[in-house]
């Protein structure tokens, strides 16, 4: 079986995958340009190959274009530093929607 996927495969699909072959080390931005995949993204995508408790516990990762192998090797050798902390901030649109909900349900202090 063969699965053709975008970089979204790195988002946590738990499939029995033996081999990941990068068609390109670049990702489309959805417009007319593309950007180089960062080390973390490459490792996340490559990590789909070979999973504990799958028929393929040892995965294989390669590139279609041999010129990309040096970058792939560098990405795989890079130690990704864990986040010390993270936060989620509301966007201006979230704040607007929240304010509208307060007014709709008369939950603001002015009520």
């Amino acid at each position: 079986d063969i699965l053709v996927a975008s970089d979204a495969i790195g988002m946590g699909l738990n499939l029995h995958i033996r081999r990941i072959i990068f068609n390109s080390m670049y990702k489309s931005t959805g417009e007319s340009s593309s950007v180089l995949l960062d080390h973390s993204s490459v490792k996340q995508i490559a990590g789909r190959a070979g999973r504990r408790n799958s028929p393929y516990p040892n995965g294989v990762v390669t590139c279609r274009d041999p010129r990309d192998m040096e970058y792939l090797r560098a990405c795989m050798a890079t130690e990704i530093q864990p986040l010390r902390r993270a936060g989620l901030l509301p966007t201006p649109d979230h704040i607007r929607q929240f304010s509208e909900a307060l007014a709709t349900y008369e939950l603001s202090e002015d009520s």
Side-chain angles (χ1 to χ4, degrees):
D1 294 339
I2 296 174
L3 169 68
V4 177
S6 70
D7 62 318
I9 195 171
M11 300 301 288
L13 293 174
N14 288 319
L15 301 173
H16 300 307
I17 298 174
R18 179 185 313 185
R19 182 179 304 114
I20 295 286
I21 303 171
F22 283 89
N23 183 56
S24 172
M25 299 310 288
Y26 289 85
K27 168 185 173 168
S28 172
T29 62
E31 298 176 12
S32 60
S33 63
S34 58
V35 295
L36 187 65
L37 288 167
D38 60 53
H39 292 105
S40 181
S41 296
V42 170
K43 288 185 94 166
Q44 186 70 25
I45 295 165
R48 300 296 105 202
R51 309 287 290 173
R52 184 179 53 172
N53 299 325
S54 89
Y56 315 111
N58 300 310
V60 178
V61 180
T62 191
C63 300
R64 181 192 55 78
D65 188 336
R67 295 173 294 186
D68 289 332
M69 283 302 295
E70 184 177 342
Y71 184 70
L72 176 61
R73 286 185 182 113
C75 289
M76 297 305 290
T78 299
E79 185 73 28
I80 305 299
Q81 297 299 316
L83 293 176
R84 293 183 186 185
R85 62 181 159 171
L88 298 175
L89 300 175
T91 65
D93 191 51
H94 290 139
I95 294 170
R96 180 190 55 75
Q97 290 178 15
F98 185 70
S99 297
E100 289 173 2
L102 286 175
T104 300
Y105 295 104
E106 298 180 6
L107 298 175
S108 65
E109 291 181 20
D110 299 337
S111 303

